[in-house]
Amino acid sequence: MPEPRASQVLGAPNVAPTAAKPSAAPPFFPASIKWMVEQKGSDLLLKVGRPPTVRIAGELAGVPNQAPMTPQDLKGLAEHLMQPKQLKEFMETKESDFAIGVPGIGRFRVNVYWQRGTLAFAFRVIPYEVKTIDELRLPKILEQLALKPRGLVLVTGVTGSGKSTALAAMVNHINLNRRVNIITIEDPIEFLHRDVNSIINQREVGADTLSFHNALRHVLRQNPDVILIGEIRDMETLDTAIKAADTGHLVFSTLHTTDATQTINRVISFYPPHQHEEVRHLLSTALQAVVSLRLVPTPDGVSRVPACEVLINTAAVRENIRDMKAQLAIPDLIKEGTVQYGMQSFDQSLMHWYTSGAIDLEHALYYCSNPTEFQLQVQGIAAASDRTFEGFESKEGKGEGGGKKGAGGAGAPLAGAGAGGGAGASPYASGEPGEAARKRGETIPGLSRDPLQR
């Protein structure tokens, strides 16, 4: 019996895609995708009533010479891009995630969904080449975390903060430096890895396995050394990840949390209250590190640099995870653990980028966790005993000298490689000399945390 059409199932003959696949994509699609890649954008957003819109360095811009899209435009695109199996899933769930390759242009992660009775699309650029930790200008401690023999490493941040890109770089570092068996479970597969020293098996939810939970039930029988879970979405997935890390595997995954402390709270909140004490003890032994990301625009508006908070699970951190009241001290442990353990807070990371000239003060204050303390440090007002920012203030930003502003590759969710070396004690894989920061002690009247409110 033939599969029913989407329009028949959903009862919306004017907007729902059918299983018939047109021979060519609607004209606006290749033009929009090509323009996004040329402008080094990260996302393409399509909805009825608006022209195609691209996110470039965090800001939205309309694609030139494109008319507002109609329901038929997006219906035709869905029929062109989606296979019959994907169409059937879309009919049932009203959402669909998959990846596509456009010859001569690139690979893209796609999400199709409904809004106000019409189709909408979100495309994310996936670079063909996996960049290294050094090229992404991430802290060098991530290279050490990638080579740990066991434990749970969580990479967190809001949507579009570079979590998948950072994870791909860490898997690539393992592939280049270790001989291990790596199993990834993704929805969908984004970055394509080729075996170098390691064996990498990439499984896609829907194509290679039914669900994250189903794949994780069997993953320990596939002889893995390293397990990558694209995203932790439920308690069952989290529980398997923690137990795999606790039994001697290195496990990577992502969460949509803003910093290390919130990540720990989110992990515990997956479980019912009567299990919280047990989970705290299990997490305190299984956790290896939490890496939280925020992408900050450069002054020229062309690219972004990664502000990165790193929590390493030291003995003191373990005690804080086990004790709910003591957990409030974790931000202080991060600030104090920079030299000995390679930890750093968002504010310390932003100070590095600000004093090297890669970002301006408005964006540094907008993205930092404690803007008042940050601004006092910039103005040179700090206690003599306060060594929070020691090692994060670039010497090149102290004087009036100049240099190139950050020019990372904004085509990927994380910025690309920068030129030049950073401050002597910088925790970053490669610093970037920049235009001298503003004079210490200057006043900034009317400063807003929102860079759009001048």
Side-chain angles (χ1 to χ4, degrees):
M1 183 176 179
E3 292 181 356
R5 292 184 175 184
S7 56
Q8 295 171 338
V9 174
L10 298 177
N14 294 326
V15 296
T18 68
K21 200 175 185 68
S23 58
F28 72 87
F29 178 65
S32 300
I33 283 285
K34 185 177 180 181
W35 189 80
M36 172 174 64
V37 172
E38 289 174 348
Q39 300 299 314
K40 298 182 178 179
S42 60
D43 300 87
L44 172 65
L45 306 177
L46 306 178
K47 67 167 287 189
V48 171
R50 285 186 63 92
T53 303
V54 170
R55 187 179 296 277
I56 304 172
E59 300 293 331
L60 297 178
V63 178
N65 305 316
Q66 293 294 329
M69 290 170 290
T70 66
Q72 289 299 322
D73 289 334
L74 297 187
K75 173 178 177 287
L77 181 61
E79 292 171 345
H80 174 75
L81 296 179
M82 300 170 75
Q83 301 296 327
K85 183 178 179 181
Q86 293 166 335
L87 283 170
K88 183 178 179 181
E89 175 194 347
F90 186 65
M91 296 174 207
E92 296 170 352
T93 66
K94 305 296 182 77
E95 323 272 350
S96 184
D97 286 297
F98 54 94
I100 63 169
V102 180
I105 298 179
R107 293 188 69 246
F108 306 88
R109 184 182 75 196
V110 188
N111 178 268
V112 192
Y113 58 99
W114 290 95
Q115 69 90 28
R116 295 175 64 181
T118 60
L119 293 173
F121 290 77
F123 293 82
R124 166 66 55 83
V125 175
I126 306 172
Y128 277 121
E129 183 181 354
V130 178
K131 293 187 176 181
T132 65
I133 292 171
D134 184 76
E135 289 172 336
L136 294 173
R137 292 182 285 177
L138 291 167
K140 205 164 183 63
I141 188 67
L142 268 64
E143 294 180 353
Q144 299 177 32
L145 294 175
L147 300 181
K148 293 289 185 180
R150 68 190 66 84
L152 175 64
V153 178
L154 294 173
V155 179
T156 78
V158 300
T159 301
S161 59
K163 299 184 295 295
S164 298
T165 308
L167 274 182
M170 295 176 80
V171 169
N172 182 59
H173 190 73
I174 298 171
N175 192 21
L176 296 174
N177 292 279
R178 295 183 64 191
R179 296 181 181 275
V180 293
N181 185 26
I182 303 172
I183 306 286
T184 77
I185 306 165
E186 305 172 68
D187 183 22
I189 292 173
E190 297 185 41
F191 293 87
L192 301 178
H193 295 275
R194 294 181 176 86
D195 295 359
V196 180
N197 290 318
S198 297
I199 298 173
I200 305 179
N201 296 289
Q202 296 183 262
R203 308 190 67 199
E204 181 170 314
V205 173
D208 304 309
T209 183
L210 294 177
S211 65
F212 280 109
H213 180 54
N214 195 63
L216 287 167
R217 284 176 56 195
H218 303 280
V219 72
L220 296 182
R221 295 186 180 182
Q222 294 158 7
N223 192 30
D225 299 290
V226 178
I227 303 169
L228 184 146
I229 306 167
E231 182 182 351
I232 292 176
R233 299 176 178 175
D234 52 47
M235 188 182 77
E236 290 79 10
T237 302
L238 175 61
D239 194 56
T240 306
I242 293 176
K243 289 176 179 176
D246 198 44
T247 53
H249 301 83
L250 181 60
V251 181
F252 295 94
S253 193
T254 67
L255 277 174
H256 288 272
T257 52
T258 57
D259 57 34
T261 304
Q262 187 190 28
T263 300
I264 293 169
N265 290 330
R266 177 68 59 82
V267 168
I268 295 167
S269 70
F270 273 100
Y271 294 83
H274 69 274
Q275 288 186 268
H276 284 187
E277 188 71 19
E278 176 189 350
V279 173
R280 285 181 179 278
H281 281 78
L282 189 59
L283 182 64
S284 70
T285 58
L287 185 67
Q288 188 69 249
V290 177
V291 178
S292 301
L293 297 167
R294 296 173 187 172
L295 292 182
V296 185
T298 55
D300 55 16
V302 173
S303 64
R304 292 179 288 176
V305 295
C308 188
E309 180 173 273
V310 181
L311 169 68
I312 305 296
N313 192 16
T314 64
V317 172
R318 279 193 290 273
E319 289 300 320
N320 276 259
I321 293 175
R322 290 170 187 159
D323 186 346
M324 182 172 61
K325 296 178 181 177
Q327 191 174 313
L328 297 173
I330 285 179
D332 294 327
L333 293 175
I334 294 174
K335 295 177 184 178
E336 296 165 3
T338 57
V339 176
Q340 187 173 359
Y341 302 109
M343 290 193 272
Q344 64 180 48
S345 67
F346 274 122
D347 291 5
Q348 289 169 327
S349 177
L350 288 162
M351 182 62 74
H352 162 78
W353 291 123
Y354 168 64
T355 58
S356 67
I359 62 175
D360 58 33
L361 185 58
E362 279 187 289
H363 283 99
L365 289 169
Y366 180 69
Y367 285 95
C368 72
S369 300
N370 299 290
T372 302
E373 179 183 327
F374 191 95
Q375 186 170 352
L376 289 174
Q377 181 67 28
V378 166
Q379 295 174 343
I381 305 171
S385 59
D386 185 2
R387 306 180 71 177
T388 299
F389 295 99
E390 186 173 328
F392 290 89
E393 294 180 298
S394 172
K395 294 178 181 178
E396 282 135 356
K398 293 287 188 179
E400 296 276 359
K404 293 182 180 179
K405 293 182 181 179
L414 282 178
S426 170
Y428 285 81
S430 62
E432 183 176 19
E435 195 172 72
R438 305 180 189 184
K439 290 182 181 179
R440 308 302 79 154
E442 70 176 354
T443 57
I444 303 112
L447 184 65
S448 168
R449 291 200 71 202
D450 186 346
L452 300 180
Q453 294 177 1
R454 303 288 181 180

